[in-house]
């Protein structure tokens, strides 16, 4: 391990920069730019004004009374679903788009699974007048059509990815290849706390606003910290943002909820942190990853496009190994059930991703205060859910 | 002889202005045919062979090599079966394996280096393992006389190139273009500049790859100062398109060899 004067490259043994040499100077440049920008009051101020006036921060901390009553505890939702574009992804996209502009890069690429990060990036690019290309798996284009149409309306070009399973993993790979080719003009806005250093730290820095706000809201409201913080984990950006401000509060339990898909035992899931297994390199960093005996990356499976990813952010692998956080998984069926029940119970249509966190709390109620990161809203999921729950009806 | 020495001898012995190193996707279209293609490379006048181990997520590769790798995996190729191909070919020509980092880490860096040495492989290229991540593997390869060949790119600044050049074993793989593998209709205008910089910062031969599509490109690379030329996608495409891949690539390789003589 090298002594780095800049941002953190490793979390325990995890992280690193496993990328083609062509990208190494760009990663260095990005790291230097972020170190500078995050200490520049003008930049910080511009971002926080946009987060407030454009995106709608701070988001409310909502006491979900009927849900609390049902599960028999006290449950608060951090309402990232109320943000402009409908998910926490906008926190990261706005920050990185501003950074790209500061770096003089006029072309933006992004990958997207559920389409939320793609929409957030397309939105930020429209706002700042940047060119935007979004890589999206062919299968995800099918199941997240409303978001495809939103991105196009916002002026982004959608580049379908047919390779592999046509989902998030393949879209990230294709975005990295574009970046290798166009690195001089292009910034890659990665959508989760994954990728080579400095991305996991950059994305964490931009998402920790979730936990920072929630922590002070909770203290103000209840005079104490929550007993548990629960968030869904795809690559892990909403979870790391929710967790990190509580990391030093040893009494607060941190729980990441992955996608168990058709069940961990079936092998068809998106839960590398829960399933264990040896670490591996995917998309530039060493972390928990689904792979076969030889090290070929396996395909993930989840009803929710945003959790349908065989990797995980390297900091989560370390939080697990160090025992600071624990990781669990929820099946497609249980997430779908929670999606439906929370709509009727609380009047909130939560994203299928976030529904995994809700389902876990429903099945594993605490006796104190729970804080769930409601990472996004589920309008995008209606067609997919309808089809899953009633396969005889055709799609939209 | 160690792998490092075998590679040095191959560069020294080459009858061409630059040593010719065709890329072979191991296990494409299947294991047996890929071995035949490798022999055809040797027959056509190759000086060394770069042998790719197929990988699920090849970030440095364009569509043609991606598709070939996916096909090889579907056909059941494994690290072990590609190393058997390596062993056969190593009897004729020095073999340098190209393999993504996760396959190396999965087996264990020492174990992987041992497996290469046992198969008679002379060198190893890991396209997603920059020098910062490479010390353990470099030591493992050095212990076994296997040359860990690093890459430099047009984007690599001088200071970094010096660092990489000083750690190069076998040869220095100089990426000709900013991009992934694949044919290009136009050769980069700054190729000579990159090659010149690469040669200034290393004692080992400088080999150029990525985008060399025609014998003229190979000639151009040699004129730009390259001491080795790597031809990948053009040959993989020929193998994919032909009913008799071995014959097709033999003819092509001898065209490339001719252009370099
Ligand atoms: C609403 C929502 N939640 C969660 C995720 C998962 O991503 P992450 O784990 O980075 O928060 C996504 C990804 O698309 C999403 O759209």
């Amino acid at each position: 391990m090298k002594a780095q004067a800049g941002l953190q490259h490793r979390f325990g043994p995890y992280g690193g920069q496993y990328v083609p040499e062509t990208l190494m100077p760009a990663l260095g440049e990005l790291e230097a730019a972020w170190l500078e920008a995050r200490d520049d009051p003008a930049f910080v101020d511009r971002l926080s004004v946009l987060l407030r006036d454009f995106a709608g921060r701070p988001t409310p901390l909502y006491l979900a009374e009927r849900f609390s009553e049902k599960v028999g505890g006290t449950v608060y939702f951090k309402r990232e679903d109320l943000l402009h574009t409908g998910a926490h992804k906008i926190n990261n996209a706005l920050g990185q788009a501003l950074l790209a502009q500061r770096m003089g890069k006029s072309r933006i690429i992004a990958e997207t699974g559920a389409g939320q990060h793609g929409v957030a990036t397309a939105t930020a690019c429209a706002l700042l007048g940047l060119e935007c290309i979004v890589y999206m798996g062919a299968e995800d284009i099918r199941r997240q059509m409303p978001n495809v149409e939103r991105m196009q309306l916002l002026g982004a070009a959608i580049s379908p990815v047919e390779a592999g399973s046509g989902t998030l993993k393949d879209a990230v790979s294709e975005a990295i290849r574009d970046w290798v080719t166009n690195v001089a003009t292009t910034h890659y806005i990665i959508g989760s706390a994954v990728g080579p250093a400095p991305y996991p730290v950059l994305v964490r820095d931009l998402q920790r606003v979730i936990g920072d706000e929630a922590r002070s809201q909770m203290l103000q409201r209840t005079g104490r910290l929550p007993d548990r913080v629960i968030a869904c984990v795809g690559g892990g950006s909403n979870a790391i943002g929710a967790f990190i401000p509580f990391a030093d509060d040893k009494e607060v339990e941190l729980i990441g909820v992955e996608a168990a898909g058709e069940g961990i035992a079936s092998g068809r899931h998106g839960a590398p942190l829960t399933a264990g297994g040896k670490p591996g390199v995917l998309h530039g960093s060493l972390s928990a990853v689904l792979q076969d005996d030889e090290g070929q990356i396996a395909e993930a499976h989840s009803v929710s496009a945003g959790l349908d990813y065989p990797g995980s952010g390297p900091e989560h692998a370390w939080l697990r190994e160090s025992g600071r956080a624990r990781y669990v998984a929820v099946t497609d069926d249980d997430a779908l059930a929670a999606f439906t029940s929370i709509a009727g119970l609380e009047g909130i249509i939560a994203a299928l991703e976030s529904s995994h966190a809700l389902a876990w709390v429903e099945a594993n109620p605490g006796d104190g205060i729970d804080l769930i990161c409601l990472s996004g809203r589920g309008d995008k999921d209606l067609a997919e859910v309808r089809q899953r729950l009633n396969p005889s009806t055709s799609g939209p | 002889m160690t792998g490092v020495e075998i590679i040095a001898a191959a560069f020294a012995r080459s009858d061409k202005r630059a040593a010719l190193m065709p890329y072979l996707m191991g296990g494409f279209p299947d294991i047996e045919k890929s071995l035949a293609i490798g022999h055809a490379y040797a027959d056509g006048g190759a000086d060394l062979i770069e042998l790719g181990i197929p990988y699920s997520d090849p970030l440095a590769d364009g569509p043609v090599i991606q598709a070939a790798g996916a096909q090889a995996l579907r056909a059941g190729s494994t690290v072990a079966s590609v190393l058997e191909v390596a062993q056969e070919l190593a009897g004729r020509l020095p073999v340098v394996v190209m393999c993504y980092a996760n396959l190396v880490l999965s087996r264990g860096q020492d174990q992987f280096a041992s497996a290469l040495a046992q198969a008679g492989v002379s060198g190893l290229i890991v396209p997603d393992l920059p020098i910062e991540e490479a010390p353990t593997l470099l030591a493992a390869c050095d212990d076994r006389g296997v040359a860990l060949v690093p890459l430099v790119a047009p984007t690599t600044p001088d200071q970094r190139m010096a660092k990489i050049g000083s750690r190069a074993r076998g040869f220095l793989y100089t990426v000709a273009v900013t991009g992934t593998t694949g044919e290009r209709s136009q050769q980069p205008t700054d190729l000579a500049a990159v090659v010149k910089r690469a040669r200034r910062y290393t004692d080992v031969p400088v080999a150029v790859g990525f985008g060399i599509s025609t014998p003229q490109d190979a000639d151009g690379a040699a004129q730009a100062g390259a001491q080795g030329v790597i031809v990948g996608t053009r040959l993989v495409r020929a193998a994919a398109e032909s009913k008799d891949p071995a014959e097709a690539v033999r003819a092509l390789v001898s065209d490339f060899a001719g252009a370099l003589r």
Side-chain angles (χ1 to χ4, degrees):
Chain A
M1 245 171 290
K2 61 177 176 167
Q4 190 71 32
L7 296 166
Q8 199 177 350
H9 283 207
R10 291 273 176 182
F11 309 91
Y14 304 110
Q17 295 179 313
Y18 299 87
V19 295
E21 174 61 27
T22 305
L23 291 181
M24 290 301 288
L27 292 175
E29 198 188 318
L30 180 61
E31 177 168 344
W34 180 239
L35 280 165
E36 221 182 81
R38 71 177 190 179
D39 284 340
D40 174 356
F43 180 90
V44 171
D45 187 57
R46 176 115 197 268
L47 177 58
S48 67
V49 167
L50 282 180
L51 286 174
R52 185 190 69 203
D53 299 344
F54 184 72
R57 300 215 74 91
T59 58
L61 183 72
Y62 167 69
L63 174 60
E65 287 188 38
R66 297 204 345 148
F67 185 75
S68 299
E69 204 173 302
K70 183 176 174 192
V71 303
T74 305
V75 184
Y76 287 86
F77 296 164
K78 178 61 173 164
R79 297 291 307 274
E80 296 298 291
D81 61 310
L82 291 176
L83 282 171
H84 182 41
T85 71
H88 69 291
K89 301 287 182 185
I90 193 76
N91 303 327
N92 173 48
L94 275 176
Q96 285 203 49
L98 276 180
L99 183 63
Q101 199 176 47
R102 183 184 166 100
M103 293 171 72
K105 309 248 176 176
S106 58
R107 181 176 178 272
I108 299 295
I109 55 172
E111 86 296 338
T112 198
Q116 290 303 112
H117 175 58
V119 168
T121 303
T123 298
C125 289
L127 177 74
L128 300 177
L130 301 167
E131 182 189 354
C132 180
I133 295 103
V134 179
Y135 288 91
M136 188 168 188
E139 164 67 8
D140 288 339
I141 289 180
R142 185 196 64 72
R143 58 180 169 175
Q144 303 286 344
M145 199 30 108
N147 274 342
V148 173
E149 287 163 2
R150 290 163 81 198
M151 287 184 271
Q152 284 167 338
L153 188 60
L154 290 160
I158 311 300
S159 199
V161 181
E162 305 280 351
S165 53
T167 59
L168 183 53
K169 174 190 83 142
D170 311 294
V172 177
S173 294
E174 212 44 45
I176 292 175
R177 292 191 189 101
D178 178 314
W179 202 32
V180 170
T181 307
N182 300 298
V183 60
T185 59
T186 300
H187 174 63
Y188 174 27
I189 303 191
I190 207 163
S192 191
V194 299
Y199 278 110
V201 170
L202 170 58
V203 175
R204 178 189 73 193
D205 286 352
L206 290 167
Q207 291 292 4
R208 68 169 292 156
V209 65
I210 301 172
D212 282 333
E213 280 178 14
R215 192 174 182 282
S216 65
Q217 287 166 323
M218 187 67 86
L219 284 173
Q220 199 169 30
R221 191 85 66 85
T222 67
R224 52 164 290 197
L225 294 172
D227 296 289
R228 308 191 299 183
V229 178
I230 303 109
C232 67
V233 178
S237 69
N238 88 89
I240 206 72
F243 289 176
I244 283 302
F246 295 97
D248 293 333
D249 304 317
K250 296 296 178 222
E251 68 279 19
V252 179
E253 206 186 341
L254 307 175
I255 300 160
V257 186
E258 296 187 295
E262 295 170 17
I264 298 289
S266 74
R268 292 174 59 81
H269 59 81
L273 290 159
T274 307
K278 69 183 167 199
V281 167
L282 175 63
H283 297 142
S285 59
L286 181 75
S287 188
V289 57
L290 302 177
Q291 57 183 329
D292 71 11
D293 292 345
E294 289 219 303
Q296 305 289 351
I297 305 301
E299 284 173 13
H301 293 274
S302 171
V303 65
S304 110
L307 305 186
D308 199 350
Y309 184 65
S312 54
E315 192 163 13
H316 287 292
W318 177 238
L319 288 174
R320 178 191 63 176
E321 189 165 312
S322 63
R324 182 61 193 94
R326 72 187 168 108
Y327 296 84
V328 296
V330 160
T331 62
D332 288 350
D333 288 347
D334 290 347
L336 285 162
F339 178 92
T340 308
S341 79
I342 205 72
L345 202 60
E346 289 287 352
I348 294 172
I349 298 172
L352 271 177
E353 291 80 12
S354 325
S355 297
H356 284 72
L358 296 168
W360 187 83
V361 171
E362 221 176 312
N364 302 274
D367 46 18
I369 298 181
D370 283 346
L371 168 65
I372 302 179
C373 182
L374 205 73
S375 55
R377 58 176 174 252
D379 311 45
K380 68 187 175 62
D381 297 315
L382 291 183
E384 180 70 10
V385 170
R386 189 175 53 196
Q387 215 182 359
R388 287 286 297 235
L389 294 181
N390 189 359
S392 60
T393 60
S394 57
Chain B
M1 278 211 293
T2 66
V4 173
E5 290 162 348
I6 290 171
I7 291 173
F11 275 91
R13 194 176 54 225
S14 172
D15 60 345
K16 309 173 193 72
R17 285 173 293 134
L20 178 59
M21 193 180 332
Y23 171 91
L24 171 64
M25 173 58 83
F28 174 76
D30 58 40
I31 281 292
E32 210 173 305
K33 293 203 184 83
S34 73
L35 177 59
I37 293 169
H39 280 299
Y41 286 177
D43 296 339
D47 296 297
L48 307 94
I49 288 184
E50 184 187 346
L51 175 62
I53 301 184
Y55 180 55
S56 54
D57 294 80
L59 289 183
D61 285 307
V64 171
I65 292 184
Q66 275 179 58
Q71 162 60 28
L73 290 174
R74 274 195 304 275
S77 124
T78 61
V79 174
S81 65
V82 174
L83 289 184
E84 282 171 27
V85 171
Q87 187 145 27
E88 295 271 339
L89 294 175
R92 296 192 65 186
L93 286 180
V95 174
V96 179
V97 159
M98 207 289 307
C99 175
Y100 283 88
N102 199 45
L103 300 180
V104 178
L105 297 181
S106 172
R107 189 176 275 234
Q109 304 186 54
D110 277 307
Q111 290 86 338
F112 198 93
S114 286
L116 293 181
Q118 268 159 30
V121 169
S122 300
L124 173 63
I125 302 162
V126 185
D128 56 348
L129 197 75
I131 47 165
E132 286 79 358
E133 310 295 355
T136 309
L137 186 60
L138 182 59
C141 286
D142 279 350
D143 283 349
R144 293 158 180 87
V146 174
L148 183 63
V149 176
L151 295 95
V152 293
T155 54
T156 308
D158 281 347
Q159 220 183 354
R160 185 172 171 82
M161 210 177 258
K163 205 150 121 192
I164 299 172
S166 71
R167 289 179 208 183
R169 310 280 193 270
F171 59 95
L172 180 59
Y173 195 133
T174 302
V175 175
V177 293
T178 303
T180 53
T181 57
E183 293 168 74
R184 297 193 169 50
S185 52
Q186 276 212 308
Q187 282 308 292
T189 47
D190 56 353
L191 182 59
V194 185
V195 173
K196 195 171 166 201
R197 287 204 297 135
R199 287 189 63 165
R200 189 185 323 145
Y201 293 119
T202 193
D203 299 332
V204 295
V206 166
V208 167
F210 282 44
I212 307 281
S213 318
T214 64
Q216 292 86 322
D217 295 343
D219 176 51
Q223 282 186 31
Q227 295 148 298
V229 173
I230 298 159
V231 185
T233 300
R234 178 68 193 95
L235 293 168
V236 173
R237 181 165 68 83
E241 287 171 352
S242 171
K243 289 232 162 23
D244 184 354
E247 183 46 36
V249 302
R250 194 199 55 75
L252 259 177
V253 168
S254 75
D255 288 349
F256 279 99
L260 289 170
R261 285 201 182 97

